Amino acid sequence: PYKFKKGKETSKGKIVFGFTGERKNFKIKLLSKTPKNFKSTFLLEKDKDTINYWFTPFEADSLNFIISNNNVIDSVTVKLRKKKIDSLVVNTTISRTLHTKDTFFLKTNNPIITVDTSKIKLYDKDSLKVSYKKLLVKNKIAILFNKKEKENYRLELLPKAFKDIYSMYNDTLKYQFRTLGKDDYGKIILTIERKGTDNLIIELLNKNEKLIRKKFITSTEIKDVIFDFLPPQKYLMRVIVDENKNFKWDTGNYLEKLQPEKIEYFPKTIVLRANYFEYETFILKK
């Protein structure tokens, strides 16, 4: 069950709210008076039970909040004592290769308020400009463009391309990356054999069990699942029996005497080679 823990200032203009359980319709309402130019935003931290809340700093000893999650409401007072604002840091989600199914993202530690596209340039290997579109979602910026096979790209960000919630800017940044051709990838074609009629979640994992992709089966008529444009490496697979049809794995509930939704692992590791199709059959127990 959901339970709110506490709110804590981690740096000037940033508060972290902790909780346990499932987050549904989570809302943060600030009760304290703020100046006219006040801005705020919040974002769930991936893989953690914490909400990051950013705001433009102003003179105050503390801030009062109402934190709600469905019908559970908590009032919180957070004392403000930090003196230092986090400097803007920009990172990319890729290293050297942008795969066919991936999008080039720039991630920042602070939420971005404005993006000046005149200061963002994308070039191909011949130093010709490549047209692109940007998509901004708080602290994540997608650079969308038509990727060509086996091409080298260079992305350049001039100073002040990004402005964050604290009115801080980026310095000059340069990223070089490449794309691969179709023959550099492999494909897994998985046939599902089962007895039940529940929805299924098919998850493709790397050898460290990090999720690579997932597919959903909502009909017993669907038997084959295709994962294409996969880099050559070792893969694992597992199937979640989605009994309540909410498209995610659910833990058990001791008080309600509910068992966790069942997970079945494919019995072997798949070694995928470039320009190769791997055909496998997964026979489920349920």
Side-chain angles (χ1 to χ4, degrees):
Y2 166 83
K3 185 178 180 181
F4 180 77
K5 285 187 174 180
K6 64 177 181 178
K8 181 181 179 181
E9 182 191 31
T10 57
S11 61
K12 190 172 183 179
K14 183 181 178 181
I15 295 172
V16 172
F17 295 104
F19 65 94
T20 56
E22 187 175 10
R23 183 177 66 100
K24 262 188 177 181
N25 301 319
F26 191 93
K27 295 179 181 179
I28 299 175
K29 182 179 180 181
L30 178 59
L31 302 179
S32 304
K33 291 184 178 180
T34 58
K36 290 183 179 180
N37 61 348
F38 180 83
K39 293 184 179 68
S40 68
T41 186
F42 68 90
L43 187 67
L44 174 68
E45 189 166 345
K46 189 177 180 181
D47 300 326
K48 292 185 179 180
D49 291 338
T50 55
I51 297 285
N52 292 321
Y53 177 87
W54 295 271
F55 63 96
T56 48
F58 63 100
E59 290 298 323
D61 295 326
S62 62
L63 294 179
N64 298 315
F65 297 90
I66 293 293
I67 309 295
S68 61
N69 189 69
N70 273 357
N71 297 323
V72 181
I73 299 174
D74 293 276
S75 59
V76 184
T77 298
V78 180
K79 294 181 179 180
L80 305 180
R81 295 172 179 172
K82 301 293 183 180
K83 304 293 184 183
K84 187 178 179 181
I85 293 176
D86 287 337
S87 299
L88 178 61
V89 178
V90 183
N91 292 306
T92 178
T93 56
I94 69 165
S95 53
R96 296 177 61 89
T97 302
L98 178 62
H99 293 295
T100 301
K101 290 283 189 178
D102 294 342
T103 299
F104 188 96
F105 282 104
L106 293 169
K107 295 184 70 177
T108 62
N109 60 327
N110 300 331
I112 298 301
I113 302 301
T114 59
V115 177
D116 187 348
T117 53
S118 69
K119 296 179 179 178
I120 303 176
K121 309 295 183 183
L122 181 63
Y123 302 96
D124 62 15
K125 63 184 177 183
D126 298 319
S127 295
L128 298 176
K129 285 186 178 180
V130 178
S131 60
Y132 69 90
K133 293 182 179 179
K134 59 89 178 171
L135 178 63
L136 169 64
V137 182
K138 295 185 179 180
N139 66 337
K140 201 172 183 181
I141 305 97
I143 305 297
L144 308 172
F145 64 99
N146 292 324
K147 298 187 285 286
K148 293 182 180 179
E149 289 188 20
K150 299 188 177 182
E151 181 67 270
N152 293 319
Y153 292 97
R154 185 176 80 256
L155 182 69
E156 296 183 357
L157 281 73
L158 298 177
K160 296 188 176 182
F162 296 154
K163 177 183 177 182
D164 71 12
I165 195 171
Y166 308 126
S167 296
M168 301 180 73
Y169 298 92
N170 64 285
D171 296 323
T172 299
L173 297 168
K174 295 182 180 181
Y175 302 96
Q176 293 185 342
F177 55 95
R178 66 189 179 111
T179 56
L180 303 177
K182 292 180 181 178
D183 55 354
D184 294 311
Y185 294 100
K187 180 188 289 189
I188 297 175
I189 301 171
L190 181 69
T191 299
I192 302 291
E193 293 185 5
R194 57 168 171 164
K195 300 176 183 178
T197 59
D198 292 311
N199 287 357
L200 301 178
I201 304 171
I202 318 298
E203 294 189 335
L204 184 70
L205 317 169
N206 65 12
K207 62 181 181 180
N208 298 319
E209 296 200 26
K210 179 183 177 182
L211 180 65
I212 303 299
R213 292 190 206 158
K214 67 168 63 176
K215 301 251 182 169
F216 300 97
I217 295 181
T218 58
S219 170
T220 54
E221 296 178 1
I222 301 174
K223 292 186 178 181
D224 290 342
V225 176
I226 299 175
F227 294 103
D228 56 2
F229 290 102
L230 294 173
Q233 62 181 43
K234 294 181 180 180
Y235 292 97
L236 307 173
M237 283 190 293
R238 66 186 175 202
V239 172
I240 299 170
V241 181
D242 186 19
E243 295 177 356
N244 61 359
K245 297 179 172 58
N246 65 348
F247 299 96
K248 67 177 183 178
W249 179 75
D250 289 290
T251 61
N253 189 310
Y254 178 79
L255 297 178
E256 296 179 10
K257 297 182 179 180
L258 292 176
Q259 294 288 337
E261 289 184 325
K262 292 185 178 179
I263 300 176
E264 293 189 34
Y265 278 82
F266 191 62
K268 71 175 185 178
T269 299
I270 298 174
V271 182
L272 188 64
R273 301 191 297 271
N275 200 24
Y276 188 80
F277 288 14
E278 184 76 26
Y279 293 89
E280 298 288 350
T281 300
F282 198 161
I283 302 175
L284 300 181
K285 297 176 183 179
K286 184 174 180 179

